[in-house]
């Protein structure tokens, strides 16, 4: 973690290390099977594809996030929202003694915020115009942005990028293999008795990639839920106002219910980056697959913190 005034979180660090270790085991096993299955002539191509995918996700993650969310980098004099956003981040970065990230604004009614970028030079913190309108109290906006800056200070974005890249690739391979299979890749009758047939290899690739994706999905979601609680805590400790964080969560969650579902569906793919997810499942089983803890859990943790620091 960079030297800032954000409270260090040893539990977050230990969980990151543990999850990365488990993911490493899953990925090593998957890569070993892929190397064993891949024809010798295709192995160099496979390595190039994986390396290229990692390069794109690592070095272009901030640009991809900005483009996908249709976010625009803004300067303080661009408009009223930009001026307020820069002002709040100036105060928080001075308080945290950390470099100020680039500032982005997304023109959407969905109230939310996110951070992207692998390092201090590429980091960008973005807020939506919907968030700015619904949080006129600067203390609540500070709480949300302090949460995002905590992700930056704890290197959450970089860790999650590394942790997820092979899982995303495995999901892509699963889909491609399935599509090929639907078009007849699994029904090559000429080779049905041959264990080394293209159909058998394709089926094994799909199964291995599916298992890799499923295991990495569960591990990454578990880490994501804890890092959200850690960001809530360290952000609230920085501002000294857990109540403002809790109020912001309540307001944003309530406002989400008023946003058309089709608009939320467009944002759902980016839930892992957001301050609060665009769409949440209500059932307890769905919490296992969620990127964020429930509103109730987050508010309970913040209430405990408020008692600890006397706010």
């Amino acid at each position: 973690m960079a030297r800032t005034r954000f409270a260090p979180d040893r539990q977050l660090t230990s969980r990151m290390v543990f999850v990365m270790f488990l993911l490493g085991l899953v990925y090593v096993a998957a890569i070993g099977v892929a190397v064993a299955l891949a024809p010798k002539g295709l192995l160099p191509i496979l390595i190039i594809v994986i390396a290229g995918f990692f390069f794109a996700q690592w070095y272009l993650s901030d640009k991809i996030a900005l483009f996908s969310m249709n976010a625009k980098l803004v300067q303080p004099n661009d408009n009223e929202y930009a001026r307020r956003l820069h002002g709040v981040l100036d105060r928080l970065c001075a308080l945290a003694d950390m470099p100020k990230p680039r500032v982005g604004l997304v023109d959407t009614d969905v109230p939310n915020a996110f951070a992207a970028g692998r390092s201090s030079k590429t980091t960008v913190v973005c807020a939506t115009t919907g968030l700015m309108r619904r949080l006129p109290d600067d203390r609540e906006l500070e709480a949300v942005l302090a949460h995002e800056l905590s992700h930056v200070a704890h290197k959450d974005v970089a860790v999650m990028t590394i942790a997820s890249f092979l899982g995303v690739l495995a999901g892509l391979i699963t889909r491609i293999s399935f599509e090929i299979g639907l078009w007849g890749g699994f029904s090559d009758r000429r080779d049905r008795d041959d264990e080394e047939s293209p159909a058998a290899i394709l089926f094994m690739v799909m199964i291995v990639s599916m298992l890799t994706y499923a295991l990495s999905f569960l591990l990454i979601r578990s880490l994501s839920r804890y890092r959200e609680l850690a960001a809530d805590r360290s952000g609230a400790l920085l501002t000294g106002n857990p109540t403002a964080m809790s109020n912001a969560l309540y307001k944003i969650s309530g406002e989400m219910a008023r946003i058309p579902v089709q608009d939320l569906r467009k944002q759902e793919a980016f839930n892992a980056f957001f301050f609060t997810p665009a769409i949440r499942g209500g059932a307890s089983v769905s919490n296992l697959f969620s990127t964020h803890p429930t509103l109730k859990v987050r508010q309970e943790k913040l209430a405990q913190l408020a008692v600890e620091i006397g706010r």
Side-chain angles (χ1 to χ4, degrees), residues 187-208:
S187 57
D188 188 351
R189 295 185 178 181
R190 294 171 302 171
D191 299 318
R192 60 184 178 182
D193 298 326
D194 184 2
E195 293 183 356
E196 299 299 325
S197 70
I201 293 176
L202 179 64
F203 182 75
M204 285 296 298
V205 167
M206 189 184 75
I207 294 300
V208 171

Side-chain angles (χ1 to χ4, degrees), residues 15-203:
R15 288 193 183 214
M16 283 183 172
V17 171
F18 181 64
V19 169
M20 292 295 281
F21 173 74
L22 292 180
L23 284 171
L25 294 180
V26 172
Y27 292 157
V28 166
I31 291 172
V33 173
V35 170
L37 291 176
K40 292 182 180 180
L42 292 180
L43 188 57
I45 298 176
L46 178 65
I47 294 173
I48 292 173
V49 169
I50 293 176
F53 189 84
F54 178 76
F55 177 87
Q57 189 167 358
W58 178 251
Y59 287 98
L60 303 177
S61 60
D62 57 316
K63 295 180 178 62
I64 293 172
L66 290 172
F67 176 78
S68 301
M69 287 298 301
N70 198 24
K72 295 181 179 179
L73 297 178
V74 293
Q75 300 302 321
N77 57 353
D78 283 352
N79 54 52
E80 182 182 349
Y81 291 135
R83 184 161 51 252
R84 183 179 174 216
L85 194 54
H86 271 276
V88 172
L89 282 171
D90 282 337
R91 293 195 297 272
L92 286 173
C93 289
L95 183 62
D97 191 22
M98 66 183 293
K100 181 182 175 182
R102 295 176 297 163
V103 180
L105 193 63
V106 184
D107 187 13
T108 175
D109 196 42
V110 178
N112 231 316
F114 67 94
R118 70 186 187 279
S119 66
S120 58
K121 292 182 179 180
T122 61
T123 297
V124 57
V125 172
C126 294
T128 67
T129 53
L131 178 75
M132 307 291 287
R133 286 194 295 269
R134 288 169 172 82
L135 296 182
D137 188 337
D138 275 0
R139 291 172 298 180
E140 293 172 356
L141 182 59
E142 281 182 349
V144 173
L145 297 180
H147 171 105
E148 298 304 327
L149 288 176
S150 173
H151 284 315
V152 174
H154 287 97
K155 305 295 185 184
D156 286 356
V157 178
V159 170
M160 294 302 286
T161 298
I162 295 173
S164 64
F165 104 92
L166 272 179
V168 173
L169 181 62
L172 181 62
I173 292 174
T174 299
R175 182 168 181 174
I176 292 173
S177 301
F178 182 72
E179 293 289 342
I180 293 174
L182 288 180
W183 285 94
F186 296 143
S187 57
D188 188 351
R189 295 185 178 181
R190 294 171 302 171
D191 299 318
R192 60 184 178 182
D193 298 326
D194 184 2
E195 293 183 356
E196 299 299 325
S197 70
I201 293 176
L202 179 64
F203 182 75

